[in-house]
Amino acid sequence: MKTPSVKLPLLACMAVVAHSSHAMDVELGGFIKMNARYVSGDVEFQDLWTGGGSISEPTKRTQFSAQESRLNLAISSEEVKSFIEMDFVGSSQGNPVISNSYSPRLRHAFIEYQDVMAGQTWSTLVNTSAFAETADLGGPLVGQAMVRQALIRYTHNDWQFALENPYTYGTDAVTESNDSSQQEWIDTRNDYVPDLIVRYNKKGDWGNISASGIIRYLDPVDTQQLSKGISVAGKFRTFGKDDLRLQLHYGHLGRYVGTDAAKDIIDGELETTLSAMMAYRHFWTHRLRSTVFIGHTTTEIERTRRNHFGANIFTNLTPELSVGFEVGQYAINDKSPSYSNELVDTGQSQYAQLSMQYSFR
């Protein structure tokens, strides 16, 4: 998700680059964003729908927030490029009782030299052009790949090859000494083989499409397993300025897809995930546009069923200032997991969100 940027005069950045004898370009970018969010239903309130969630008594809640505001800095020389970005989402420091002070979180921090990228950024499995324009941060996360992590990536023409940070997210097998309500999280001390991702990209006047494959060696205690998954995503031009954005994911993708909707291993077994996302954006005028979107994830072992759909309208009051309004619904329709006969709760919540964003250009 590229953030607009503005070049700073070199003299204003002398403190940043004084140590270097080579000329550097320094760019400051980001945006200030304000959200007003109203949620009503029996899925507990979330700042954004992440694919997870729990069922509660029906509630209603309104929240104002500026935590999604973002800053980034790009520094480049003749041969090397670097980028770092932060926002304030997910901070546990602030609260509305006193001052709403929130600590920054790292989004991106990477270096590019020739055809190699190293650092933290979007996983190679992620096609950012296939993200929908939404007021809810990230849009239908439940149906799309949206992982940022440390990696080393090599790009050759339309091909990308990456080794990415390994991490096993899931639960150990249930034994006679414990039941499904007392499952233990997998010990990640044996995550020692990097995840391997290969991706092919194709683009043209019609848009772009990517196809990716992932292989992972998951090695929790006594459960060595090889997992595999595939992903296809793209953005396609349709009529005028309109576009269609699609994502389809299948396999042992776990934490790579659906954010918190699926795990890598459940009850000691590899989880299989099927996820999809579709969004269509229509331009009413040069500045006024709308997006209709839906995201969906199902899993085989845990038998999660998560859905998120919505519709919005955005306009630019100025080239830098946009305003958007969105309504939608997030639903949890899980079935009893394959390892348990325990009944699970289902529910849904509706939301309305107003956003205003000023981008630095």
Side-chain angles (χ1 to χ4, degrees):
M1 199 175 293
K2 189 174 181 181
T3 305
S5 58
V6 58
K7 286 193 174 183
L8 297 179
L10 185 59
L11 289 177
C13 305
M14 287 182 63
V16 178
V17 300
H19 66 282
S20 175
S21 60
H22 301 283
M24 290 187 176
D25 289 327
V26 179
E27 299 181 3
L28 175 67
F31 53 75
I32 305 299
K33 185 177 180 182
M34 171 62 183
N35 290 318
R37 183 175 175 90
Y38 168 79
V39 175
S40 175
D42 48 15
V43 177
E44 288 192 356
F45 178 91
Q46 298 178 44
D47 297 332
L48 62 152
W49 303 116
T50 62
S54 57
I55 307 300
S56 67
E57 294 296 323
T59 58
K60 298 178 181 179
R61 183 178 176 186
T62 297
Q63 183 185 78
F64 291 1
S65 174
Q67 284 181 265
E68 292 178 24
S69 299
R70 186 178 303 174
L71 291 172
N72 61 56
L73 189 68
I75 304 174
S76 61
S77 61
E78 185 175 337
E79 297 182 281
V80 182
K81 297 179 181 179
S82 63
F83 183 83
I84 187 166
E85 182 174 72
M86 67 180 70
D87 67 7
F88 307 88
V89 176
S91 169
S92 59
Q93 175 189 4
N95 64 72
V97 176
I98 305 175
S99 64
N100 291 279
S101 303
Y102 299 102
S103 56
R105 67 164 184 169
L106 182 67
R107 286 175 54 85
H108 299 273
F110 61 83
I111 302 165
E112 290 183 278
Y113 176 70
Q114 296 183 358
D115 297 325
V116 176
M117 173 185 286
Q120 177 170 306
T121 188
W122 293 113
S123 168
T124 310
L125 198 76
V126 177
N127 184 339
T128 57
S129 72
F131 291 165
E133 181 180 25
T134 58
D136 185 271
L137 180 63
L141 292 173
V142 67
Q144 63 187 31
M146 196 179 191
V147 176
R148 290 186 301 271
Q149 61 187 6
L151 55 83
I152 301 173
R153 178 190 300 156
Y154 172 71
T155 300
H156 178 70
N157 296 328
D158 296 330
W159 290 91
Q160 293 180 314
F161 307 87
L163 295 176
E164 306 199 3
N165 188 62
Y167 186 85
T168 304
Y169 176 45
T171 57
D172 288 321
V174 177
T175 65
E176 294 181 359
S177 61
N178 63 2
D179 57 39
S180 59
S181 64
Q182 297 176 324
Q183 284 182 314
E184 295 183 356
W185 290 102
I186 285 175
D187 189 336
T188 59
R189 288 179 294 179
N190 283 339
D191 286 332
Y192 60 93
V193 178
D195 298 348
L196 171 64
I197 300 177
V198 179
R199 171 172 162 177
Y200 178 75
N201 303 295
K202 191 68 176 177
K203 63 181 179 180
D205 294 338
W206 47 269
N208 77 84
I209 189 170
S210 66
S212 307
I214 181 171
I215 298 177
R216 308 168 65 195
Y217 181 70
L218 307 180
D219 191 19
V221 177
D222 299 324
T223 320
Q224 296 84 3
Q225 301 184 66
L226 191 68
S227 72
K228 304 173 289 296
I230 57 174
S231 171
V232 178
K235 174 183 175 181
F236 309 94
R237 295 190 175 94
T238 56
F239 307 99
K241 296 178 64 177
D242 291 10
D243 61 70
L244 175 67
R245 308 180 191 205
L246 299 171
Q247 295 190 35
L248 180 62
H249 316 279
Y250 178 75
H252 309 137
L253 292 165
R255 64 182 178 85
Y256 277 86
V257 176
T259 313
D260 197 32
K263 299 176 179 63
D264 300 316
I265 293 179
I266 291 293
D267 190 26
E269 297 184 45
L270 288 174
E271 180 66 279
T272 300
T273 303
L274 175 63
S275 301
M277 174 279 231
M278 180 176 67
Y280 189 86
R281 182 171 66 166
H282 172 67
F283 279 80
W284 303 98
T285 67
H286 178 67
R287 293 186 175 183
L288 185 67
R289 68 268 184 198
S290 295
T291 294
V292 178
F293 62 87
I294 184 169
H296 174 73
T297 282
T298 63
T299 60
E300 287 189 3
I301 299 175
E302 198 169 21
R303 302 185 70 189
T304 56
R305 305 289 188 272
R306 307 290 166 87
N307 301 283
H308 179 191
F309 67 85
N312 59 48
I313 186 166
F314 280 86
T315 189
N316 280 76
L317 304 180
T318 73
E320 300 83 14
L321 181 63
S322 65
V323 176
F325 178 73
E326 180 172 300
V327 294
Q329 177 179 278
Y330 177 73
I332 296 177
N333 297 309
D334 299 352
K335 308 297 182 182
S336 297
S338 61
Y339 53 81
S340 170
N341 293 322
E342 183 179 343
L343 295 178
V344 295
D345 294 327
T346 63
Q348 61 187 30
S349 282
Q350 293 73 40
Y351 72 98
Q353 184 164 329
L354 177 66
S355 295
M356 177 176 284
Q357 179 174 308
Y358 177 74
S359 301
F360 311 142
R361 297 187 184 277

